[in-house]
Amino acid sequence: KNEVEQSPQNLTAQEGEFITINCSYSVGISALHWLQQHPGGGIVSLFMLSSGKKKHGRLIATINIQEKHSSLHITASHPRDSAVYICAVRSKSGGSNYKLTFGKGTLLTVNP
Amino acid sequence: GAGVSQSPSNKVTEKGKDVELRCDPISGHTALYWYRQSLGQGLEFLIYFQGNSAPDKSGLPSDRFSAERTGGSVSTLTIQRTQQEDSAVYLCASSLQGTTGELFFGEGSRLTVL
């Protein structure tokens, strides 16, 4: 079982819809990252969070440390939001807390 | 430069040849990572450099893979005697500090081994 599980694997939405992507993990973490990868493109860091909630424009990320769960929300989705969204966690264990463990990603397609 | 720069962006090579992939991190970033992304797979950790400390090479899949970081800046990932299963996108990332910093990724080097 992967230490980081994302759902759904694939998501298709209509422009304007509210999107939620979920991430569950099984290890103690010091931080969780949400990353975005456009087709054929590089990876961009969207959020790094260790508690609570962060908001950038139409994107909101939340994390519940007790439940080992994070969500990425996109409000008023747009076709340019189409990308793979990747959840990654940074282990809390002292010796290797620089390492990230990645989920397999959620492919989001937003149709006009 | 302003971001993490990787070269080449695409490399096609024949099985058995050696390849070198280069990463130029953001100036001042002490932490540098190499990851591999195979088709349909998640990102796989390869190697981590932090300042002048000994690198963590635990993710390198075989002794055909090696990496170095000269002067705490530019890094080169070398794959010797390439195999078809080495075909993947090799991503480099850097951060200001390895244990807490936000990661900045390069565009990746797509390697195809024929």
Side-chain angles (χ1 to χ4, degrees):
Chain A
K1 185 178 185 298
N2 199 21
E3 289 181 345
V4 181
E5 295 281 351
Q6 287 186 235
S7 62
Q9 284 187 312
N10 291 280
L11 180 56
T12 300
Q14 289 300 120
E15 183 172 358
E17 286 185 0
F18 181 82
I19 303 293
T20 296
I21 299 170
N22 296 298
C23 175
S24 296
Y25 53 91
S26 57
V27 297
I29 68 167
S30 59
L32 181 143
H33 297 251
W34 280 103
L35 311 169
Q36 180 192 56
Q37 185 174 31
H38 283 282
I43 294 175
V44 173
S45 177
L46 298 175
F47 295 102
M48 182 176 70
L49 66 165
S50 55
S51 65
K53 174 179 167 179
K54 286 190 176 180
K55 184 176 189 293
H56 289 158
R58 295 181 295 105
L59 300 177
I60 303 166
T62 63
I63 189 168
N64 184 317
I65 296 292
Q66 287 73 30
E67 294 187 3
K68 293 186 167 61
H69 181 269
S70 174
S71 292
L72 177 67
H73 305 285
I74 306 175
T75 62
S77 59
H78 190 276
R80 66 175 173 265
D81 297 326
S82 298
V84 174
Y85 292 84
I86 301 168
C87 171
V89 299
R90 188 186 298 278
S91 170
K92 191 183 272 189
S93 64
S96 59
N97 60 351
Y98 49 82
K99 283 187 179 179
L100 292 180
T101 302
F102 296 84
K104 293 192 173 181
T106 295
L107 175 60
L108 171 65
T109 304
V110 182
N111 294 317
Chain B
V4 178
S5 178
Q6 290 189 245
S7 61
S9 54
N10 276 287
K11 175 72 176 179
V12 179
T13 191
E14 292 179 348
K15 178 181 169 182
K17 296 282 179 71
D18 296 353
V19 297
E20 280 191 355
L21 307 176
R22 176 189 166 106
C23 173
D24 199 343
I26 292 173
S27 178
H29 280 195
T30 61
L32 186 148
Y33 301 78
W34 282 98
Y35 294 98
R36 179 167 71 174
Q37 188 175 36
S38 302
L39 191 63
Q41 300 297 314
L43 277 84
E44 174 188 11
F45 168 79
L46 296 178
I47 189 168
Y48 167 73
F49 295 92
Q50 172 60 57
N52 296 320
S53 302
D56 178 350
K57 305 179 181 181
S58 61
L60 296 178
S62 78
D63 59 7
R64 296 185 295 105
F65 288 72
S66 63
E68 61 178 21
R69 188 178 184 191
T70 53
S73 181
V74 172
S75 177
T76 303
L77 177 68
T78 301
I79 309 172
Q80 295 179 308
R81 305 181 301 281
T82 52
Q83 303 294 313
Q84 287 184 331
E85 61 262 28
D86 299 335
S87 297
V89 176
Y90 290 82
L91 289 153
C92 176
S94 72
S95 68
L96 198 56
Q97 209 275 349
T99 57
T100 59
E102 183 179 359
L103 282 180
F104 295 83
F105 285 82
E107 293 289 316
S109 292
R110 181 177 297 278
L111 174 65
T112 303
V113 182
L114 302 177

